Amino acid sequence: MAASKQLLEMQKVIKRIFDIIFSLIAIVALLPLWLVVGVWIAVSSPGGVFFRQRRTGYRGREFDLLKFRSMYVNKNADSEQATKGDPRITRVGQILRKSSLDELPQLLNVLKGDMSIIGPRPHMLAHTEYYSRLIPGYMRRHEMRPGLTGYAQILGYRGATPRLEDMERRVRADIEYVDRFSLWLDLKIFAVTLWKMLTLKL
């Protein structure tokens, strides 16, 4: 038991080292893309280029998640999930969301240590408070750092969750990831995510 626990901790250390190296390389390599996207957002609608939102992270700690702004500035951004055809989403934002380019600034969250490349997606504070009362074991998803992508996402559980069962499926997948965590599983999730991005039709 002690040996398996040591192996798990060693894998978590390797995971963190990978997060730092990968996020640094990706930030530098994709800097021209960041500039293009930033200018595109700035000229397309009023408001800042980046969007900050408080999310629940590792062990329940709150942090500021970064995104490229994909919506018109609105008062419900911190409490209301985006839905299909949401009028708050800008034309540029639709492309950014479909391609997941709006998530790029979260590489800074990864570098800082708030997030990992792979892990359960972080939820808005209002959703954590709401769903933790309705879904047994919900808070267990915070036993790992939240990720840019995760097991739930490669299974297709992403986007809006209008029904409770939609969130329940996502949370079950997140908890399964926590229980099954290994570097091999992370590699599989990373590969599937990359494949989906490369074969995405805008």
Side-chain angles (χ1 to χ4, degrees):
M1 182 68 73
S4 62
K5 187 175 181 180
Q6 287 179 344
L7 177 61
L8 179 63
E9 292 303 315
M10 183 179 69
Q11 289 190 89
K12 288 183 178 180
V13 171
I14 295 171
K15 177 181 173 73
R16 179 60 190 146
I17 292 171
F18 171 80
D19 285 341
I20 294 171
I21 294 173
F22 182 88
S23 59
L24 268 174
I25 293 173
I27 288 168
V28 173
L30 296 173
L31 189 57
L33 179 60
W34 286 50
L35 294 173
V36 170
V37 172
V39 170
W40 198 17
I41 294 170
V43 301
S44 66
S45 62
V49 169
F50 296 102
F51 173 67
R52 294 174 181 267
Q53 189 177 68
R54 296 293 284 177
R55 298 282 180 107
T56 309
Y58 184 47
R59 295 179 177 172
R61 302 189 194 108
E62 297 178 12
F63 72 99
D64 287 323
L65 177 136
L66 287 172
K67 281 190 173 190
F68 281 125
R69 182 175 58 83
S70 61
M71 290 185 175
Y72 296 105
V73 176
N74 68 93
K75 63 181 180 180
N76 297 322
D78 289 325
S79 59
E80 188 177 315
Q81 270 187 323
T83 56
K84 188 175 182 180
D86 197 318
R88 297 176 299 164
I89 300 175
T90 65
R91 190 171 298 178
V92 171
Q94 290 173 356
I95 298 172
L96 294 179
R97 282 174 171 269
K98 192 164 185 180
S99 63
S100 296
L101 286 175
D102 62 320
E103 312 284 1
L104 271 182
Q106 287 162 51
L107 287 166
L108 294 171
N109 287 120
V110 174
L111 186 60
K112 185 181 175 184
D114 293 326
M115 294 177 65
S116 178
I117 300 299
I118 309 296
R121 286 295 295 160
H123 291 169
M124 293 185 289
L125 301 186
H127 283 179
T128 297
E129 183 179 353
Y130 178 72
Y131 288 114
S132 63
R133 297 197 300 263
L134 299 176
I135 302 176
Y138 176 92
M139 295 302 288
R140 287 205 58 220
R141 64 192 307 278
H142 302 124
E143 292 176 14
M144 298 288 289
R145 280 188 177 88
L148 291 177
T149 185
Y151 188 55
Q153 282 64 49
I154 68 167
L155 293 179
Y157 306 140
R158 54 173 295 173
T161 51
R163 301 172 302 173
L164 179 60
E165 52 262 40
D166 296 327
M167 183 60 81
E168 285 176 332
R169 292 190 192 98
R170 184 180 295 184
V171 170
R172 280 199 299 269
D174 289 338
I175 293 173
E176 184 180 350
Y177 169 76
V178 170
D179 290 338
R180 290 179 52 201
F181 164 70
S182 69
L183 295 177
W184 173 248
L185 179 57
D186 270 16
L187 182 61
K188 177 183 175 182
I189 294 169
F190 183 84
V192 173
T193 300
L194 187 60
W195 173 253
K196 287 187 174 185
M197 290 180 68
L198 292 174
T199 57
L200 177 70
K201 294 180 180 179
L202 295 177

